[in-house]
Amino acid sequence: MTKYILHGGYTRIKNESNKMFFKEILSSFNKSVKILFIFFARPEKDWEMREKREKNHLKTARPDLQLNFKVANKDAATLEKQILESDVIYIIGGENKPLINKLKNIKDLKDLFKDKVIVGSSAGAYALSTYYYSHEAKGIFDGLGILPIKTLAHYSPLLENNLEELKAYKEKLDTYAIEETKHIVLEK
């Protein structure tokens, strides 16, 4: 079974919700974990800083585990191999379109994710969804459709009209409004 963890954004905020999020990512493991970071939603100059920060969050969440980290390669064939070799695929948030455009090039991505823990924060959650509402771009867009859902990250009550618009968009699918620093778990 594949475990999907979708986060509403702002993993950098130190609070109880984010602590629980990082613990959830690693909750299925007992000894060692191979974690692949996908940073395609961010400028490459930011990858090193983000890698350091996310490594620290995960190490703090489960100091008892041996964590092995890799950063996703931009080459599609190499990335496919990295996904197959990893236990956790962590898709970091940022800009939606560059991330989705890069991941579109991976053949059978949903099959590559089988029996792994797949984490999507903000833009990462959007990429995994069929449709998503971006309050920054002010509209509804297509994700990769890995999960047959609609998603609105960075949710607050001020976005209630946008959430209703998303729910009514095209076919009826489960719709998730995920607040910043909060997460949901879906198993498929």
Side-chain angles (χ1 to χ4, degrees):
M1 184 168 299
T2 306
K3 179 178 184 178
Y4 292 91
I5 305 171
L6 307 181
H7 188 271
Y10 292 114
T11 60
R12 69 182 171 271
I13 295 173
K14 292 187 181 200
N15 65 17
E16 198 57 36
S17 296
N18 276 334
K19 282 183 191 175
M20 297 308 294
F21 165 68
F22 288 108
K23 284 183 180 181
E24 182 66 44
I25 292 171
L26 301 172
S27 67
S28 307
F29 303 98
N30 295 321
K31 292 184 181 172
S32 67
V33 187
K34 295 177 186 169
I35 301 168
L36 178 65
F37 291 127
I38 297 180
F39 292 117
F40 301 147
R42 294 281 173 184
E44 201 166 343
K45 65 181 177 57
D46 295 344
W47 291 12
E48 187 177 328
M49 179 272 296
R50 298 216 176 257
E51 178 186 9
K52 184 178 178 183
R53 185 170 69 203
E54 298 306 312
K55 277 182 178 180
N56 185 52
H57 290 312
L58 290 161
K59 286 177 181 177
T60 301
R62 286 289 305 276
D64 59 308
L65 291 176
Q66 179 186 343
L67 304 178
N68 302 296
F69 299 99
K70 284 196 174 175
V71 173
N73 192 291
K74 292 186 285 185
D75 173 71
T78 303
L79 178 54
E80 286 176 30
K81 187 173 186 248
Q82 287 180 310
I83 291 170
L84 284 172
E85 294 171 348
S86 299
D87 302 307
V88 174
I89 315 303
Y90 182 1
I91 309 169
I92 311 298
E95 292 192 39
N96 306 321
K97 291 205 189 275
L99 172 63
I100 290 169
N101 288 339
K102 189 70 178 168
L103 293 178
K104 274 185 193 173
N105 297 322
I106 308 301
K107 292 181 197 148
D108 303 316
L109 188 57
K110 186 174 183 174
D111 292 338
L112 294 174
F113 286 167
K114 190 172 175 22
D115 297 325
K116 299 184 183 298
V117 174
I118 310 302
V119 182
S121 179
S122 186
Y126 289 160
L128 295 167
S129 302
T130 302
Y131 306 110
Y132 65 91
Y133 184 90
S134 169
H135 61 280
E136 288 177 359
K138 300 199 180 347
I140 298 171
F141 301 91
D142 292 346
L144 297 171
I146 304 288
L147 293 169
I149 63 171
K150 301 174 184 180
T151 305
L152 194 163
H154 302 279
Y155 178 75
S156 79
L158 297 173
L159 299 173
E160 189 61 35
N161 289 339
N162 305 121
L163 178 60
E164 292 306 316
E165 181 184 344
L166 180 61
K167 285 179 182 177
Y169 186 74
K170 292 191 178 182
E171 70 265 35
K172 183 173 171 46
L173 297 172
D174 289 340
T175 303
Y176 297 94
I178 311 169
E179 295 176 40
E180 292 171 351
T181 77
K182 307 279 192 208
H183 70 278
I184 62 167
V185 177
L186 303 171
E187 297 194 16
K188 301 285 181 190

